[in-house]
Amino acid sequence: RNRLDLLLYTTVRSGYSVRNGTGISGDIYLEHHVQQPTIEDVWIRQASGLDGVFEVVAETASVAVGGRLELAVLSLDGEVLTQVDADVAGSTTTLTGNCPDFQPWSPEHPNLFELRIRIRKADTVIDERVKRFGFRTFEVRNARFMLNGKTLRLRVVHAANCSSVMEPGRLRELKRLGHNSIFMHASHSG
């Protein structure tokens, strides 16, 4: 599926970069808004695959001050699993909570959820964002990669002469062969 993303209402932030004029790295989103967005960015800082604890940071425009942020974690079929609310007092609001009915994400079971965040002012929803995410905790402990508290052995394949386009079925074939990660290195000439 092709995707073109573009943010029109603000300057480029860290995480997106133009390297030597070769292009933009990072995800870019094309969104249509009738008015300038009030929710400028949403960052899922933590979504623990161990206990379902989450932390979300929302950046909002100044017009949002005095409003209320409403965050909901939903299953992919739309069931609300947990909700958290917070007043907007400045440009950045952090919401934390726990989702007791979470299922951790793993390569074998890529369980995904949706985070819906709304800003309400005077009983009217003035902006909404939805992001798909998984609850997972990746760390290095005792010289081992750990995913959700369990040892994760990386089975890496080197994609020689790779491009950003892979032939159809290639990833499924690599997974069938037991690989769970790909080393892709693009060399720059000149």
Side-chain angles (χ1 to χ4, degrees):
R1 179 170 98 165
N2 292 328
R3 203 167 117 174
L4 171 66
D5 300 324
L6 187 58
L7 182 61
L8 300 174
Y9 293 109
T10 187
T11 58
V12 175
R13 297 183 181 207
S14 60
Y16 304 101
S17 65
V18 178
R19 295 184 334 213
N20 302 326
T22 60
I24 298 174
S25 64
D27 291 339
I28 303 171
Y29 301 92
L30 179 62
E31 299 175 349
H32 175 268
H33 292 273
V34 179
Q35 62 186 25
Q36 183 170 339
T38 306
I39 301 171
E40 295 178 342
D41 198 9
V42 178
W43 176 32
I44 303 169
R45 183 181 286 168
Q46 175 191 8
S48 173
L50 300 172
D51 56 12
V53 169
F54 60 87
E55 180 179 3
V56 175
V57 178
E59 293 179 4
T60 55
S62 60
V63 69
V65 173
R68 186 135 181 98
L69 279 173
E70 302 171 343
L71 178 149
V73 175
L74 300 95
S75 65
L76 291 184
D77 61 1
E79 178 188 357
V80 175
L81 302 174
T82 191
Q83 298 182 79
V84 179
D85 295 351
D87 292 326
V88 179
S91 63
T92 302
T93 305
T94 300
L95 300 107
T96 58
N98 185 296
C99 185
D101 296 326
F102 82 100
Q103 295 292 317
W105 180 96
S106 70
E108 299 80 25
H109 304 285
N111 298 304
L112 293 175
F113 298 85
E114 286 189 343
L115 177 125
R116 181 183 66 210
I117 190 162
R118 293 177 174 162
I119 188 152
R120 188 178 297 273
K121 220 171 174 185
D123 294 328
T124 301
V125 173
I126 60 173
D127 201 357
E128 177 179 304
R129 295 284 178 101
V130 176
K131 289 190 170 270
R132 197 169 274 196
F133 74 102
F135 284 93
R136 62 181 176 246
T137 299
F138 185 80
E139 59 189 335
V140 177
R141 190 180 329 138
N142 298 325
R144 292 184 178 187
F145 291 113
M146 307 293 285
L147 178 63
N148 303 326
K150 298 177 184 169
T151 300
L152 174 68
R153 183 168 177 209
L154 296 179
R155 294 171 182 90
V156 182
V157 64
H158 180 262
N161 299 323
C162 65
S163 72
S164 60
V165 178
M166 288 231 170
E167 62 271 18
R170 176 77 170 143
L171 295 178
R172 271 194 278 319
E173 177 65 12
L174 291 172
K175 187 173 182 178
R176 187 188 70 73
L177 293 171
H179 298 285
N180 62 8
S181 55
I182 301 173
F183 174 75
M184 300 177 84
H185 183 271
S187 63
H188 298 281
S189 60

